């Protein structure tokens, strides 16, 4: 495949937050972007066309937790654009925090259906088309919670951990077909989804475990992983949190001592 030619990119959850920033970034880079989102009203607002380059952002209603819909939407996209080169799985929801012993079947299943099942359905369909061109870049947005857990969110943590296992296996199976599969595990990123828990203004100077990023920070990394030149990066989980995952119990005490020296 030629280098740096326009790619067909599907971004699930592209109507808001991280997916929105990713869609805009890939569009700026000249790619054809198809936002697949349940919130079609918000997705439509992002539609645009670069008249000179001829690439667009278009929107498509999709509930990623519906296997049949994913199959038919991806088939239509393949037919219309002649390929699916990049898939970014960013669709996501959350439920109110409750401890494990109070978590309902409904809340657990709802989150697993969107995050884990949705990512699986989209990866399965997209990879079947990527195989035909022997090229593909799959980037899954997991979470730091999928590695370290998150109080009150055992459903979310389990689904995000599942995405990591799914991605590792897919990375092994698909690499020799020119397809890479990588995972981004962000910490706090300021979006509508996280606003209930990240309502305070916390910048890069705050305690490491409290650092909050912006959606564009994730979009830059997606753009890097989506490049043809990144072909050797495969099966990686990148924690994107300013090193916050390194923070532990004693750090608060010692960081204050170091700052006072
Ligand atoms: P967001 O709420 O801003 O965007 C999520 C998008 O997903 C929305 O447009 C929503 O309509 C769409 N969506 C929800 N359910 C869907 C479904 N069934 N089918 C299709 N689309 C659906 O959230 P965000 O913060 O941008 O989150 C994006 C991803 O990043 C999620 O997977 C989230 O778990 C993950 N993440 C977010 C943070 C954070 O701090 N914001 C941290 C780690 C991981």
């Amino acid at each position: 495949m030629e280098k740096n030619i326009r790619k067909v990119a599907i971004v699930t959850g592209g109507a808001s937050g991280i997916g929105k920033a990713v869609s805009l970034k890939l569009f700026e880079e000249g790619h054809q972007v198809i936002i697949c989102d349940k919130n079609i009203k918000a997705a439509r607002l992002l539609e645009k066309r670069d008249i000179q380059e001829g690439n667009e952002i278009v929107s498509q209603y999709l509930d990623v937790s519906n296997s049949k819909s994913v199959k038919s939407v991806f088939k239509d996209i393949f037919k219309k654009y002649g390929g699916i080169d990049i898939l970014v799985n960013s669709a996501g929801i959350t439920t109110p925090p409750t401890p494990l012993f109070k978590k309902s079947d409904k809340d657990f299943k709802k989150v697993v259906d969107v995050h884990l099942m949705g990512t699986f359905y989209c990866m399965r369909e997209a990879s079947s088309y990527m195989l035909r061109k022997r090229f593909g870049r799959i980037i899954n947005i997991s979470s730091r919670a999928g590695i370290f857990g998150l109080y009150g969110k055992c459903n979310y943590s389990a689904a995000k951990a599942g995405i990591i296992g799914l991605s590792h296996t897919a990375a092994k199976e698909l690499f020799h077909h020119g397809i890479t599969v990588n995972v981004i595990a962000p910490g706090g990123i300021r979006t509508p989804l996280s606003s209930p828990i990240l309502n305070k203004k916390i910048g890069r100077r705050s305690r490491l475990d409290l650092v909050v990023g912006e959606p564009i920070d994730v979009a830059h990394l997606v753009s890097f992983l989506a490049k043809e030149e990144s072909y050797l990066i495969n099966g990686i989980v990148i924690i994107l949190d300013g090193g916050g995952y390194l923070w532990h119990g004693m750090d608060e005490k010692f960081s204050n001592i170091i700052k006072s020296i």
Side-chain angles (χ1 to χ4, degrees):
M1 192 163 198
E2 282 174 59
K3 286 215 181 277
N4 301 323
I5 61 166
R6 178 179 309 149
K7 303 286 191 295
V8 177
I10 295 179
V11 183
T12 77
S16 173
I18 294 171
K20 178 176 166 181
V22 168
S23 300
L24 294 169
K25 175 86 180 144
L26 294 177
F27 170 77
E28 265 172 35
E29 291 175 351
H31 301 304
Q32 176 69 34
V33 178
I34 300 107
I35 291 179
C36 289
D37 203 298
K38 231 178 142 175
N39 186 348
I40 191 65
K41 226 172 141 186
R44 283 211 182 105
L45 294 175
L46 299 174
E47 288 195 341
K48 56 173 154 178
R49 182 179 176 81
D50 183 322
I51 300 183
Q52 272 189 338
E53 298 296 326
N55 63 315
E56 308 159 306
I57 296 185
V58 295
S59 60
Q60 168 66 50
Y61 175 84
L62 179 64
D63 176 354
V64 295
S65 66
N66 183 323
S67 171
K68 278 191 186 150
S69 303
V70 173
K71 200 177 180 65
S72 91
V73 162
F74 278 41
K75 188 177 174 188
D76 289 348
I77 291 172
F78 179 77
K79 272 198 203 157
K80 186 164 180 192
Y81 299 101
I84 297 173
D85 306 306
I86 299 169
L87 169 68
V88 183
N89 283 303
S90 188
I93 56 164
T94 185
T95 52
T98 43
L100 169 70
F101 53 87
K102 284 191 174 164
K103 191 69 76 189
S104 69
D105 293 3
K106 193 172 157 231
D107 270 10
F108 197 93
K109 194 172 175 309
K110 194 173 154 187
V111 165
V112 169
D113 279 349
V114 173
H115 288 274
L116 182 55
M117 298 311 292
T119 300
F120 161 63
Y121 298 143
C122 293
M123 284 175 73
R124 183 177 58 188
E125 298 312 315
S127 62
S128 74
Y129 295 114
M130 289 171 174
L131 283 169
R132 301 186 191 193
K133 285 169 77 181
R134 297 189 69 79
F135 177 84
R137 296 284 177 266
I138 298 175
I139 298 137
N140 294 326
I141 311 299
S142 173
S143 167
R144 192 169 64 178
I147 306 170
F148 303 107
L150 188 61
Y151 282 101
K153 307 255 178 182
C154 64
N155 48 353
Y156 183 78
S157 309
K160 291 303 201 185
I163 289 173
I164 294 173
L166 171 65
S167 305
H168 280 153
T169 300
K172 289 184 186 195
E173 293 177 358
L174 297 172
F175 181 72
H176 292 292
H177 300 281
I179 303 165
T180 62
V181 183
N182 290 294
V183 178
I184 301 176
I189 304 291
R190 205 180 314 279
T191 70
L193 186 86
S194 62
S195 61
I197 47 172
L198 299 180
N199 51 8
K200 281 180 269 162
K201 278 214 176 274
I202 306 165
R204 293 193 174 92
R205 284 166 182 271
S206 344
R207 241 174 59 182
L208 218 52
D209 60 329
L210 297 176
V211 166
V212 175
E214 301 297 330
I216 188 66
D217 300 326
V218 186
H220 282 304
L221 184 52
V222 169
S223 148
F224 177 74
L225 294 171
K227 291 194 192 312
E228 295 200 10
E229 295 85 343
S230 300
Y231 76 100
L232 220 46
I233 305 172
N234 187 35
I236 294 294
V237 182
I238 299 176
I239 301 174
L240 195 71
D241 72 344
Y245 78 99
L246 298 168
W247 187 273
H248 60 83
M250 291 301 279
D251 272 357
E252 186 161 17
K253 187 175 170 191
F254 282 99
S255 73
N256 289 334
I257 295 171
I258 292 295
K259 277 179 197 159
S260 68
I261 295 172

